[in-house]
Amino acid sequence: MPLYGGIEAGGTKFVCAVASGADDFRAEIRFPTTTPDETLAQAIDFFRAQHAQEPLHAIGVACFGPIDPNPASPTFGYVTTTPKPHWAHTDVVGRLQAALNLPVGFDTDVNGAALGEHRWGAAQGLDTFVYLTIGTGLGGGGMVNGHLLHGLMHSEMGHMRVPHDRMRDPYPGQCTYHGDCWEGLACGPAIEGRWQTKGQHLPPDHPAWALEAHYLALGVVNIIMTLSPQRIIMGGGVMDQQQIFPMVRREVQTLLNGYIQKPAIQEDIDHYIVPPGLGNRAGVLGAVALAMDAAQQAGGKA
Ligand code: ADP
Ligand code: ZN
């Protein structure tokens, strides 16, 4: 079984792994995201050591963004305009390729996770679905008609606008660009900013969760109306609060108000809005899936 390297490149931490697939996970390392020099060197050291034991066929990077995922663009493989200190205009793919001399697959963290879920997880057999992460940020990616969502750049679903009732919720939102966009109201740091307590320390019956479910449902309904996904997968640290899944599902049904007459939504919503099938390995296995595709493309070109 050929081996691949995957990097889940998060704004907070990097997870690097070696695997031949979801059932054959060989090694993993995690470290904080600091500067590109230090963090990419740590990833390169790990993969060099792994490669010396048994050769890797490609590397995949599922990366925080914004990024340039267009192979025809001169800045393909870059983290582009991120507000994260030190990382704007970093050539992630170029540095990895130069150091490791392997094909490198590259996409957003959420497109990567979507690809992994499609191959091994909760989106097997589907051709149009969305993967959302609700963590430090709020992002969405996925597939439409069997292809990962790209376009002008990549989806930025987290920055869609959702209704904000300032009587019910005076919190202004925390997005540096928009204030109370979807991410600004519903990401992990927004929960912390609103309640002055990190989400992981709020009890399961705290009113924070009904409000969170309300905001998540508003965005999910917009996505249903826009892309008509066959399933929506919701991951990220905030969704570790398993009790919000039923609240989100119920609120989505209420907001849709019977308009989408499909059993998936009306009768079987428990299988329509779901956690990742790959659990907390969705991100890094998604990166492995990106590596497999990169190896195949490189093979095809040779
Ligand atoms: P990252 O965004 O770096 O991939 P996470 O997905 O874990 O990491 O997101 C971190 C955010 O999620 C933080 O704002 C944190 O407070 C929140 N969070 C993490 N775990 C939980 C939890 N169990 N319940 C609620 N919020 C959580
Ligand atoms: Zn925003």
Side-chain angles (χ1 to χ4, degrees):
M1 295 286 267
L3 284 181
Y4 303 91
I7 305 177
E8 178 187 356
T12 308
K13 65 178 187 304
F14 266 45
V15 183
C16 301
V18 168
S20 69
D23 301 334
D24 181 27
F25 203 84
R26 302 283 180 92
E28 185 183 271
I29 183 176
R30 296 168 177 251
F31 41 87
T33 311
T34 57
T35 62
D37 283 347
E38 184 179 42
T39 308
L40 292 173
Q42 276 178 284
I44 288 163
D45 287 348
F46 170 74
F47 289 121
R48 275 195 180 134
Q50 294 291 322
H51 191 63
Q53 284 175 30
E54 194 176 338
L56 303 176
H57 287 241
I59 304 289
V61 190
C63 195
F64 72 96
I67 64 165
D68 183 347
N70 176 6
S73 157
T75 52
F76 167 71
Y78 280 59
V79 170
T80 56
T81 53
T82 182
K84 187 171 170 59
H86 316 296
W87 283 84
H89 314 294
T90 297
D91 181 5
V92 173
V93 169
R95 288 194 191 198
L96 292 170
Q97 254 165 357
L100 298 168
N101 195 26
L102 289 169
V104 180
F106 185 69
D107 213 323
T108 61
D109 45 5
V110 277
N111 267 357
L115 187 65
E117 289 289 317
H118 185 251
R119 200 150 296 169
W120 301 299
Q124 293 177 63
L126 306 181
D127 63 31
T128 300
F129 67 93
V130 167
Y131 184 99
L132 295 170
T133 186
I134 301 100
T136 310
L138 196 170
M143 268 188 192
V144 171
N145 300 335
H147 295 283
L148 287 176
L149 257 175
H150 290 122
L152 180 65
M153 186 175 79
H154 48 74
S155 285
E156 287 284 2
M157 298 182 198
H159 298 272
M160 73 169 90
R161 312 314 295 251
V162 294
H164 176 200
D165 177 351
R166 286 175 188 267
M167 299 293 278
R168 178 178 177 188
D169 173 26
Y171 181 66
Q174 61 81 249
C175 175
T176 47
Y177 284 81
H178 317 114
D180 60 354
C181 64
W182 197 25
E183 171 175 288
L185 291 171
C187 67
I191 296 170
E192 183 177 351
R194 180 182 293 114
W195 303 101
Q196 297 297 303
T197 309
K198 283 187 189 298
Q200 54 268 50
H201 303 312
L202 292 169
D205 57 355
H206 192 277
W209 303 120
L211 185 64
E212 180 68 11
H214 170 69
Y215 286 133
L216 293 179
L218 285 167
V220 164
V221 162
N222 289 342
I223 291 167
I224 293 172
M225 295 313 199
T226 312
L227 294 176
S228 202
Q230 296 150 330
R231 186 164 292 145
I232 296 178
I233 303 169
M234 300 180 77
V238 172
M239 298 313 292
D240 284 348
Q241 300 288 327
Q242 293 284 323
Q243 78 280 9
I244 63 183
F245 275 95
M247 294 194 262
V248 172
R249 292 175 185 132
R250 220 176 309 123
E251 183 116 6
V252 164
Q253 285 173 323
T254 303
L255 288 166
L256 288 172
N257 197 25
Y259 187 78
I260 307 282
Q261 299 214 353
K262 284 285 177 188
I265 287 175
Q266 295 192 306
E267 293 154 28
D268 201 21
I269 198 164
D270 290 1
H271 297 109
Y272 184 77
I273 296 173
V274 298
L278 300 173
N280 59 16
R281 282 190 172 160
V284 76
L285 281 170
V288 169
L290 289 170
M292 287 178 163
D293 288 6
Q296 205 174 21
Q297 271 167 14
K301 269 186 223 147

